[in-house]
Amino acid sequence: MNLESIVAECREWFADPDFSRLRGHLAATGEHAVGLFPVYTPEEIVLAAGFLPVHTYGGGNLVEIDHADSRIQSFVCSICRSTLELGLTARLDWAEGFVFPSICDVARNLSGVWTRNFPDRFAAYIHFPEKDSIPAARQYLRTEFARLEHILERRSGRSIRREDYHRAFAVLNEQRKLLRQLYTLRSEQPWKLTTLELYTLTRAGGMMPREQHIEMLRLALAEAGARVGKPQDRIRVVVEGSFCEQPPLDLLMAIEDAGCYIVDDDFLLGQRYLEQDVPLAGDPLDALAETFLEAGVPTATYRSRRPRGPALVEKARAARADGVIFCIAKFCEPALYDYVLLNRELEKAGIPALYFEFEEKANVFDNMRMQVESFVESRLLFS
């Protein structure tokens, strides 16, 4: 398979609100699946329990909201409304249940709405520690993971063994390692791998069997690395603020077409949240909790041990970025509150930034593209 065919197959897995490829896989194998809401849900526990973890990012611009607004506020973020719409229209009936992380009040409310509307399927809400630097944080988080473990064991009818965890850790460690290598390739030689290709390769990996995805990533790395080409006259940017709701793919293409190389981003964090491998030795839930606390990506929702502002400055400098583009979903309170603090840190560091908002249903980006083009011209003028 060449890179184009790999990307095309990956896109079939997620560019379909009816989840046809996923349904076909589950019917053929007899496997059961559990849905995961962003930003981070412990898919390691889901995989160890014998379920296929399926990262779900709403319906994007592929579904109309006809039912969800009668059960959740119409002014909340699109990803929560469209995820509920998928459930109410039976598009998520493949899921044994859903795991919701403590992103924000809207995600918390969605977990309750899910419980009320789908009583035959479980809804597990994971409370992550707010103060992760205190000694009690690890034990608290381990207790939360153990609670999810118990829910999954009851659903599957079997206990999760230590070897199940080690097998799941090894598979997901390998998948994240390959994704990091792809991100490194895109950062160092962005003309070899477009953001659309990288995004597609990453997102499909949250839906298909992980071993299958690992083989595709290995092929993609080899294919992309072998591409020839030369740098174009573009600026290098980091895109930040889309850690939960995902921007339309046409928007990402518009940013690049306006003269940018996107050299780092915070898309699809749930599939690459842990920046280090989970150890295979010791108590599995202890190891998972410690890795989350020590090696989790700083976001607007999880206050990691690294301050968020300096971490973004470090990220931009490591990527040799000419600037940062804040691409934030409408009504996303964590990202909107975070923007003020992050922009202040960028200003102190002398890193220019551009800000705009998006929504899932948007399909015209002319105004945004003009803003990006002006930003590119200003950076080229002063470079």
Side-chain angles (χ1 to χ4, degrees), residues 180-193 198 221 224-225 229-232 236-237 261-264 318-321:
R180 287 195 295 268
Q181 290 175 0
L182 275 172
Y183 263 77
T184 298
L185 173 64
R186 195 271 304 264
S187 179
E188 294 178 350
Q189 298 174 294
W191 55 91
K192 287 191 173 184
L193 187 67
L198 178 56
L221 269 168
K230 59 181 180 179
Q232 298 179 359
R236 299 168 60 90
V237 298
Y261 281 130
I262 300 176
V263 291
D264 207 347
R320 306 190 309 282

Side-chain angles (χ1 to χ4, degrees), residues 253-266:
M253 294 172 63
I255 292 175
E256 292 200 320
D257 290 344
C260 296
Y261 281 130
I262 300 176
V263 291
D264 207 347
D265 58 63
D266 62 352

Side-chain angles (χ1 to χ4, degrees), residues 22 125 151 251 256 340:
L22 174 64
Y125 188 82
I151 293 171
L251 186 154
E256 292 200 320
V340 177

Side-chain angles (χ1 to χ4, degrees), residues 116-170:
R116 191 178 185 89
N117 284 273
F118 308 104
D120 58 323
R121 287 171 277 169
F122 73 84
Y125 188 82
I126 303 296
H127 298 261
F128 290 101
E130 288 297 322
K131 295 184 177 180
D132 57 11
S133 59
I134 62 177
R138 184 188 57 77
Q139 183 57 42
Y140 169 82
L141 186 54
R142 190 201 183 285
T143 302
E144 284 293 284
F145 288 165
R147 184 168 59 83
L148 176 60
E149 176 188 69
H150 180 62
I151 293 171
L152 293 169
E153 287 178 334
R154 281 193 303 171
R155 191 75 183 190
S156 67
R158 71 174 184 86
S159 298
I160 306 176
R161 301 166 300 176
R162 183 180 294 257
E163 51 266 35
D164 296 325
Y165 276 116
H166 289 171
R167 185 161 50 250
F169 290 174

Side-chain angles (χ1 to χ4, degrees), residues 23-299:
R23 292 178 186 275
H25 167 76
L26 297 177
T29 62
E31 196 172 0
H32 296 274
V34 169
L36 308 179
F37 202 67
V39 174
Y40 171 75
T41 42
E43 63 178 323
E44 295 84 358
I45 305 175
V46 177
L47 189 59
F51 295 103
L52 177 64
V54 179
H55 293 267
T56 307
Y57 298 95
N61 55 10
L62 301 175
V63 298
E64 296 294 332
I65 307 297
D66 296 322
H67 304 81
D69 285 349
S70 65
R71 293 167 174 83
I72 197 169
Q73 300 96 323
S74 60
F75 54 81
V76 300
C77 56
S78 297
I79 185 172
C80 287
R81 295 170 61 223
S82 62
T83 297
L84 182 57
E85 184 71 23
L86 291 174
L88 294 172
T89 53
R91 291 181 171 102
L92 299 180
D93 59 4
W94 45 263
E96 294 284 319
F98 252 81
V99 184
F100 297 91
S102 51
I103 307 172
C104 60
D105 290 341
V106 178
R108 180 192 297 272
N109 292 340
L110 181 59
S111 70
V113 172
W114 181 273
T115 300
R116 191 178 185 89
N117 284 273
F118 308 104
D120 58 323
R121 287 171 277 169
F122 73 84
Y125 188 82
I126 303 296
H127 298 261
F128 290 101
E130 288 297 322
K131 295 184 177 180
D132 57 11
S133 59
I134 62 177
R138 184 188 57 77
Q139 183 57 42
Y140 169 82
L141 186 54
R142 190 201 183 285
T143 302
E144 284 293 284
F145 288 165
R147 184 168 59 83
L148 176 60
E149 176 188 69
H150 180 62
I151 293 171
L152 293 169
E153 287 178 334
R154 281 193 303 171
R155 191 75 183 190
S156 67
R158 71 174 184 86
S159 298
I160 306 176
R161 301 166 300 176
R162 183 180 294 257
E163 51 266 35
D164 296 325
Y165 276 116
H166 289 171
R167 185 161 50 250
F169 290 174
V171 169
L172 294 173
N173 285 345
E174 179 66 14
Q175 184 188 40
R176 284 189 291 261
K177 181 190 78 173
L178 293 169
L179 287 174
R180 287 195 295 268
Q181 290 175 0
L182 275 172
Y183 263 77
T184 298
L185 173 64
R186 195 271 304 264
S187 179
E188 294 178 350
Q189 298 174 294
W191 55 91
K192 287 191 173 184
L193 187 67
T194 68
T195 292
L196 182 60
E197 290 172 330
L198 178 56
Y199 182 94
T200 302
L201 289 166
T202 305
R203 183 159 175 176
M207 303 182 69
M208 65 174 61
R210 301 310 191 258
E211 293 85 355
Q212 178 183 349
H213 187 241
I214 285 170
E215 292 306 314
M216 297 178 80
L217 290 180
R218 288 172 177 156
L219 289 172
L221 269 168
E223 288 286 323
R227 277 179 167 174
V228 295
K230 59 181 180 179
Q232 298 179 359
D233 190 20
R234 302 184 181 192
I235 68 168
R236 299 168 60 90
V237 298
V238 170
V239 176
E240 196 78 8
S242 305
F243 52 88
C244 179
E245 185 172 324
Q246 299 299 293
L249 298 184
D250 288 343
L251 186 154
L252 303 183
M253 294 172 63
I255 292 175
E256 292 200 320
D257 290 344
C260 296
Y261 281 130
I262 300 176
V263 291
D264 207 347
D265 58 63
D266 62 352
F267 308 142
L268 306 167
L269 281 190
Q271 295 160 232
R272 52 193 190 91
Y273 181 78
L274 303 181
E275 296 183 305
Q276 297 175 11
D277 288 349
V278 182
L280 303 184
D283 176 79
L285 294 185
D286 271 341
L288 187 58
E290 188 64 24
T291 306
F292 174 90
L293 295 172
E294 292 288 346
V297 176
T299 73

